[in-house]
Amino acid sequence: MYGNTKRWYNNKDLIVEGEKTNFGYDNDLLGTAAAVSKIIVPSKNAFSKYEQILELTRETIKTYDKKNLIVLLAIGLTATVLSYDLADNGFQVIDIGHLDVEYQWYLMQAKKKTPLENRTVNEVSDSQSNKIANYNQFKI
């Protein structure tokens, strides 16, 4: 199953995501990671807080061994700029977009885009975001 991909195996993952994204909630996509931490940023207009997001991410990254860290970004268009700025400093960064949502639909064998419990999915109007996954979190 591709949730057990070697890409995450034994690495530490730092996810920078919108406050209603809930990346990794209720699936095994990051199940082989050694640890998962999150930086929670605004779900809308995250770019208006870009300097704060960049600074907090850089400060958080300093506490990890660079070679065992993967930074995953799920913050819309802001991820494009942030991935450049972080990769330019030698970090492994992936603008992961909606991979988690697509993976959840795959697990459900969904034939169309459907709402997902405890997540905001911008492609679906009745999304829910009433539960936050239990990870180490840093919030802007």
Side-chain angles (χ1 to χ4, degrees):
M1 185 177 294
Y2 65 87
N4 292 325
T5 178
K6 292 282 187 191
R7 185 71 188 122
W8 321 121
Y9 183 74
N10 223 14
N11 280 305
K12 294 185 179 178
D13 297 337
L14 175 63
I15 302 170
V16 181
E17 69 175 4
E19 61 191 335
K20 297 178 182 178
T21 304
N22 248 345
F23 193 96
Y25 177 78
D26 204 24
N27 66 46
D28 67 343
L29 186 60
L30 302 175
T32 60
V36 177
S37 296
K38 292 187 173 194
I39 295 176
I40 307 298
V41 303
S43 292
K44 294 185 180 197
N45 301 319
F47 198 77
S48 68
K49 302 276 188 185
Y50 183 77
E51 291 303 320
Q52 288 176 274
I53 295 168
L54 177 61
E55 182 62 27
L56 179 56
T57 305
R58 282 183 174 158
E59 289 301 313
T60 304
I61 284 172
K62 287 179 185 177
T63 65
Y64 292 91
D65 176 6
K66 205 186 244 191
K67 68 181 180 185
N68 292 322
L69 175 68
I70 300 172
V71 181
L72 306 174
L73 306 177
I75 51 174
L77 299 173
T78 305
T80 303
V81 179
L82 187 60
S83 63
Y84 176 84
D85 286 341
L86 295 173
D88 196 39
N89 287 295
F91 297 102
Q92 293 184 74
V93 183
I94 301 172
D95 179 350
I96 206 144
H98 295 171
L99 177 64
D100 176 65
V101 170
E102 295 291 340
Y103 182 61
Q104 195 68 21
W105 287 331
Y106 164 78
L107 292 175
M108 296 168 49
Q109 299 179 353
K111 301 295 183 208
K112 64 179 188 160
K113 296 178 180 185
T114 58
L116 297 174
E117 188 174 338
N118 298 315
R119 289 193 177 97
T120 295
V121 181
N122 61 4
E123 295 102 336
V124 182
S125 61
D126 343 343
S127 295
Q128 302 174 11
S129 59
N130 55 4
K131 193 171 192 178
I132 299 292
N134 187 21
Y135 296 108
N136 296 327
Q137 295 181 15
F138 312 90
K139 191 168 182 175
I140 288 189

